[in-house]
Amino acid sequence: MIVELRQYTLRPGRRDDLIELFDREFIESQEELGMRVLGQFRDLDRPDRFVWLRGFPDMAVRLRGLRGFYGGPVWKEHGPAANDTMLDSDDVLLLKEIVPVPQQPDREAAALTATVWFRDRPFDAEFTAWFAAREAGAVAALSTEYAVNDFPALPVREGEHAFVWFARHDEAIEVPAHFGVTGTDRLHLLPTTRSAFR
């Protein structure tokens, strides 16, 4: 599955407004078009940050779904209100699943930690094997999808190589130097009421 990791910087105090609108209007309306709203989260360290995951079976479904949604009636009606909450919506990583994002909507909501590693070349099979052997407790893992973003109205970060993993613990993992990791981001996330990834 192709997955977008989307991080939005919002106007101060507007996160709950966006979450209420998103959970009410933007889940079923996207899924009816073949997309999957995998998870929506409050960033516990940044009160004006909203993080969400959207999945697609492949890039062709992504293109059709995005065209249908952003050109359709739900976005036409509610998009302006959503955009009014945002300062920036262009922090997006395009990823492919290694360990699929779990969908457990009936699970009690608990905080998740997302770790994002960057390096100056793609994360290869050697790295993936090291990570799998490390038994990091990952409940999902993804790495950069290099397909061309054919819906440029929604930019994605380009020229970067990322490996993202989610866990239900906050343990940091030291990556051996020879793997050449150049940067790390850590996100402490709390699922919204309707997040399927909990």
Side-chain angles (χ1 to χ4, degrees):
M1 180 178 282
I2 306 298
V3 176
E4 296 172 344
L5 171 59
R6 310 187 64 86
Q7 299 186 62
Y8 293 173
T9 300
L10 306 180
R11 299 182 188 280
R14 298 298 308 277
R15 183 166 67 184
D16 285 346
D17 297 337
L18 178 60
I19 288 171
E20 190 278 328
L21 177 62
F22 191 104
D23 282 0
R24 187 185 74 235
E25 301 293 345
F26 296 155
I27 297 177
E28 288 81 6
S29 56
Q30 293 186 77
E31 295 192 340
E32 288 168 1
L33 297 171
M35 302 179 282
R36 295 291 307 277
V37 178
L38 301 171
Q40 311 91 258
F41 310 95
R42 291 174 170 86
D43 185 323
L44 294 174
D45 300 320
R46 292 171 288 188
D48 298 320
R49 182 68 62 98
F50 173 67
V51 179
W52 67 292
L53 298 168
R54 176 166 53 191
F56 315 85
D58 54 43
M59 291 297 289
V61 172
R62 178 179 183 267
L63 179 59
R64 287 196 305 272
L66 295 180
R67 282 178 173 167
F69 179 71
Y70 291 103
V74 173
W75 186 253
K76 182 177 181 180
E77 181 177 354
H78 300 288
N83 285 335
D84 188 56
T85 68
M86 301 177 196
L87 295 174
D88 177 68
S89 60
D90 293 346
D91 186 350
V92 181
L93 291 173
L94 191 62
L95 306 164
K96 59 187 174 188
E97 288 183 318
I98 299 169
V99 177
V101 174
Q103 299 294 276
Q104 300 172 301
D106 297 328
R107 180 187 176 99
E108 183 178 346
L112 295 162
T113 299
T115 301
V116 186
W117 287 320
F118 297 96
R119 71 178 190 173
D120 61 2
R121 60 191 187 277
F123 285 87
D124 53 15
E126 179 189 6
F127 183 89
T128 303
W130 167 81
F131 181 77
R134 178 64 178 71
E135 295 184 7
V139 294
L142 311 98
S143 64
T144 297
E145 167 59 54
Y146 294 102
V148 173
N149 176 26
D150 52 8
F151 193 78
L154 292 184
V156 301
R157 291 163 63 170
E158 297 181 345
E160 296 185 72
H161 312 286
F163 186 96
V164 182
W165 61 283
F166 292 83
R168 293 193 172 95
H169 61 73
D170 193 24
E171 176 190 355
I173 293 179
E174 193 71 30
V175 181
H178 73 273
F179 283 121
V181 169
T182 58
T184 302
D185 288 341
R186 291 185 40 95
L187 310 175
H188 298 101
L189 304 174
L190 184 66
T192 70
T193 302
R194 294 205 59 204
S195 178
F197 183 13
R198 305 175 71 76

